[in-house]
């Protein structure tokens, strides 16, 4: 329970920033460089998968990750509804 409260507090704090530069500074404070890189790669994977232009192998090569990471992203997308999938590209 505590962890989900902390996660919600984190989300609320991120949502409070009006300036993307300030949000970037905050995220770089909270996350390690490795975590930032993993999140960026996961985001790119979801974008590529949702575009349906490349195969999973091609995405893995383009993003520089294993096919396992692509499969994980594909499984996440399968669980998401249409409204949630639109959020990948910043569409509400």
């Amino acid at each position: 329970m505590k962890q989900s409260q902390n996660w919600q507090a984190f989300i609320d704090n991120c949502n409070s920033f009006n300036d993307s530069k300030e949000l970037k500074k905050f995220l770089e404070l909270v996350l390690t460089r490795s975590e930032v890189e993993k999140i960026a790669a996961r985001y790119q994977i979801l974008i590529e998968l949702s575009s349906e232009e490349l195969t999973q192998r091609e995405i893995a090569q383009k993003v520089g990750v294993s096919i396992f990471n692509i499969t994980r992203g594909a499984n996440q997308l399968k669980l998401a509804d249409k409204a949630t999938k639109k959020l990948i590209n910043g569409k509400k």
Side-chain angles (χ1 to χ4, degrees), residues 73-86:
N75 289 337
Q76 290 293 110
L77 280 178
K78 287 178 189 175
L79 297 174
D81 59 29
K82 283 186 179 186
T84 303
K85 288 178 184 178
K86 286 182 180 181

Side-chain angles (χ1 to χ4, degrees), residues 12 31 41:
D12 291 344
L31 303 169

Side-chain angles (χ1 to χ4, degrees), residues 43-54 59 73-74 77 85-89 91:
Y43 182 63
Q44 186 65 33
I45 289 166
L46 294 173
I47 289 171
E48 296 293 344
L49 286 168
S50 67
S51 75
E52 299 179 345
E53 295 175 7
L54 300 173
I59 295 169
L77 280 178
K85 288 178 184 178
K86 286 182 180 181
L87 297 174
I88 293 167
N89 294 312
K91 299 173 187 169

Side-chain angles (χ1 to χ4, degrees), residues 1 3 8 11 13 15 23 25 27 36 38 40 42 47 54-55 60 67 75 77 79 83-85 91-92:
M1 184 70 170
Q3 193 172 23
Q8 188 59 51
I11 296 298
N13 192 39
N15 196 40
L23 176 58
K25 284 181 186 179
L27 291 174
V36 169
K38 287 178 183 178
R42 174 66 62 90
I47 289 171
L54 300 173
T55 67
I67 195 73
N75 289 337
L77 280 178
L79 297 174
T84 303
K85 288 178 184 178
K91 299 173 187 169
K92 295 181 182 177

